[in-house]
Amino acid sequence: MKVRSNAVTYVVAEPCIRCRTTDCVDVCPVDCFHAGENMLVIHPYECIDCGACVPECPVSAIFEQSELPAKWVEYIELNLEYADKWPVITSKADAPSDWENWRDVEPKRQHFNPAPGP
């Protein structure tokens, strides 16, 4: 496994909150996703910068760090912090039943739940 020694390569941002569909998890070759109660994050030192997860996200929540919209820059640190606190998720799980209701809601930061996922 290639381990990165620099900053986060891909970042899960605000659109994932309350959606957490996990389509991205199935295509990750290195299991770098970690599950929170209502969001996923990418572990910055496990991600191999392949980008396979980006097109799988139905809410467009995953960005290459250099392309992350400025309004979501705080998610770089959030991914780093919670990747060390939340469990690894290695396969697709059921999305919340109301995820589509949250798809286009902005802002959603106030709905972030720091609890680890199931």
Side-chain angles (χ1 to χ4, degrees):
M1 173 173 70
K2 179 179 173 185
V3 178
R4 300 190 65 86
S5 60
N6 57 355
V8 175
T9 53
Y10 282 85
V11 178
V12 179
E14 186 168 290
C16 187
I17 296 173
R18 300 286 312 250
C19 289
R20 197 179 173 270
T21 63
T22 70
D23 296 81
C24 52
V25 173
D26 268 348
V27 299
C28 182
V30 294
D31 299 331
C32 67
F33 282 91
H34 292 253
E37 183 66 33
N38 69 358
M39 176 180 185
L40 300 175
V41 295
I42 293 174
H43 196 294
Y45 302 117
E46 294 170 358
C47 176
I48 60 169
D49 200 19
C50 72
C53 56
V54 175
E56 299 303 315
C57 181
V59 297
S60 301
I62 304 171
F63 297 86
E64 187 170 359
Q65 183 174 331
S66 64
E67 297 175 6
L68 182 68
K71 66 183 177 180
W72 294 327
V73 71
E74 71 179 285
Y75 288 89
I76 295 170
E77 286 299 317
L78 188 141
N79 277 245
L80 179 61
E81 178 181 351
Y82 287 95
D84 284 334
K85 294 178 179 179
W86 291 346
V88 172
I89 181 169
T90 60
S91 60
K92 185 173 169 67
D94 290 335
S97 60
D98 65 346
W99 78 269
E100 289 188 79
N101 297 338
W102 289 93
R103 173 183 219 131
D104 298 316
V105 173
E106 274 193 46
K108 294 197 280 187
R109 179 67 169 96
Q110 70 273 19
H111 299 286
F112 172 75
N113 183 340

